[in-house]
Amino acid sequence: MTTESKTAVIAAIAGNLAIAITKLVAAFFSGSSAMLSEGIHSVVDTGNGCLLLVGLKKSQKPADARHPFGHGKELYFWPLIVAILIFALGGGMSIYEGIIHLQHPHMSDPTWNYVVLGIAFFFESISSFFAFKAFKKELRGRGPLAAIRASKDPTAFTVLFEDSAALLGLIVAFLGIFLGHLLENPYFDGAASIGIGIILASVAVFLAYETKGLLIGEGVDPETLAKIRAIVAADPAVDELKEALTMHFGPADVLLTLDIRFKKELSAEQITKAVPRLETTIQSQYPYIKHIFIEAKSLAE
């Protein structure tokens, strides 16, 4: 996780906590189902931010006997838990509250709701600014969707999607409350709550899908792998690179395994010197490749 990502998470926690309190107070006084759904959403987002920080801290623990490659994948596990919570608590509770409101519709003074929605939109915009600033480094000339699929730091796009869903949810809540009072139809409020739940559930499914790939193991991008293969092939001791495999243990922690056939005329001493030379050359250009294992099957052939 980069410094920008950590800043974005902390900003999201602070903003969501303040917003959650104001939304729940407004929901209590107004009885709005959409506002209660938004309050639940902000509470869930606050807890999710704390879980992302837990993942950050745990991912930085040093390697040990039981985890020889370190704990980097903690950073991939906790965003998956965040996605599950968004789906179950955020999406599920919002849809439930919406259905209850449709079954027992009622209307009240919307003034509190409008004030809180305005305050919430302001704080969410600030949080979204930090989230986008952290995510912008992942773009590198690519579109947002392509950048998300290529990103190895799930915290960057998790916070961004949470904030985007929050802003969209605020707009839906405003429309539900506004149209409900304009047309004197309380069903708009319940429908808005269900709409917020659908938004949250959709975001949760997308986040879970993207995080799953990182958790089960993703390699470096094809361009980087091609450059690594070129470095190996260019070494004078290498006759053929049979296979090159990579896997991310974290955003800046990669495992690389190489299956190399060295030239037959080389002595054991020359091959012994070639192995650390290859490792040094690769790591000088790609310092995030922390672990390199080289297998030379041809020596036994």
Side-chain angles (χ1 to χ4, degrees):
M1 179 193 279
T2 63
T3 302
E4 289 82 1
S5 295
K6 186 176 181 179
T7 301
V9 173
I10 293 173
I13 292 173
N16 284 323
L17 181 59
I19 293 168
I21 294 172
T22 55
K23 284 178 180 176
L24 292 175
V25 169
F28 176 79
F29 284 104
S30 68
S32 169
S33 175
M35 185 56 65
L36 180 59
S37 296
E38 276 297 300
I40 294 171
H41 177 193
S42 294
V43 170
V44 173
D45 280 354
T46 302
N48 289 344
C50 294
L51 289 179
L52 291 177
L53 287 182
V54 168
L56 168 63
K57 185 175 181 180
K58 287 182 173 291
S59 70
Q60 294 174 337
K61 290 171 62 178
D64 53 40
R66 293 189 63 187
H67 304 90
F69 291 104
H71 297 75
K73 287 199 173 185
E74 291 274 5
L75 200 59
Y76 299 154
F77 170 75
W78 291 101
L80 181 62
I81 300 301
V82 165
I84 294 172
L85 289 176
I86 292 175
F87 184 88
L89 296 181
M93 288 297 294
S94 295
I95 293 173
Y96 171 79
E97 283 298 327
I99 293 173
I100 293 298
H101 191 85
L102 291 178
Q103 292 174 339
H104 307 284
H106 62 274
M107 296 181 67
S108 57
D109 185 3
T111 304
W112 268 91
N113 293 331
Y114 292 139
V115 172
V116 171
L117 286 173
I119 294 173
F121 198 89
F122 173 75
F123 281 112
E124 287 290 1
S125 297
I126 294 175
S127 178
S128 296
F129 168 77
F130 285 105
F132 183 74
K133 184 179 179 182
F135 180 70
K136 190 165 61 174
K137 288 192 172 183
E138 302 284 341
L139 292 175
R140 300 171 189 168
R142 298 171 294 202
L145 188 58
I148 289 170
R149 304 210 167 184
S151 175
K152 308 305 177 184
D153 183 359
T155 57
F157 59 78
T158 297
V159 175
L160 180 64
F161 265 77
E162 280 188 340
D163 288 344
S164 299
L167 288 172
L168 189 56
L170 288 171
I171 294 172
V172 172
F174 170 78
L175 290 174
I177 295 168
F178 176 74
L179 292 174
H181 283 80
L182 179 66
L183 302 175
E184 297 184 354
N185 186 341
Y187 291 104
F188 277 101
D189 191 27
S193 182
I194 294 175
I196 292 169
I198 292 172
I199 291 171
L200 294 178
S202 300
V203 168
V205 170
F206 181 80
L207 289 177
Y209 176 79
E210 290 300 326
T211 306
K212 180 204 71 172
L214 294 169
L215 190 59
I216 63 177
E218 284 190 4
V220 299
D221 60 87
E223 182 182 353
T224 300
L225 184 60
K227 290 179 180 179
I228 292 172
R229 295 181 68 93
I231 291 172
V232 176
D235 189 280
V238 175
D239 182 56
E240 180 187 2
L241 172 59
K242 294 183 176 180
E243 193 171 39
L245 303 175
T246 62
M247 185 170 68
H248 273 269
F249 288 109
D253 187 359
V254 174
L255 165 70
L256 169 65
T257 64
L258 300 171
D259 187 358
I260 298 174
R261 183 171 69 194
F262 290 100
K263 293 180 178 178
K264 293 182 179 181
E265 63 269 20
L266 296 180
S267 64
E269 182 180 357
Q270 289 175 311
I271 293 175
T272 301
K273 290 180 180 179
V275 169
R277 182 174 67 243
L278 282 167
E279 292 175 347
T280 301
T281 303
I282 293 170
Q283 290 179 325
S284 65
Q285 296 189 37
Y286 303 98
Y288 54 83
I289 298 180
K290 307 292 186 184
H291 319 279
I292 300 178
F293 295 92
I294 296 178
E295 184 176 7
K297 294 181 179 177
S298 62
L299 294 179
E301 294 174 356

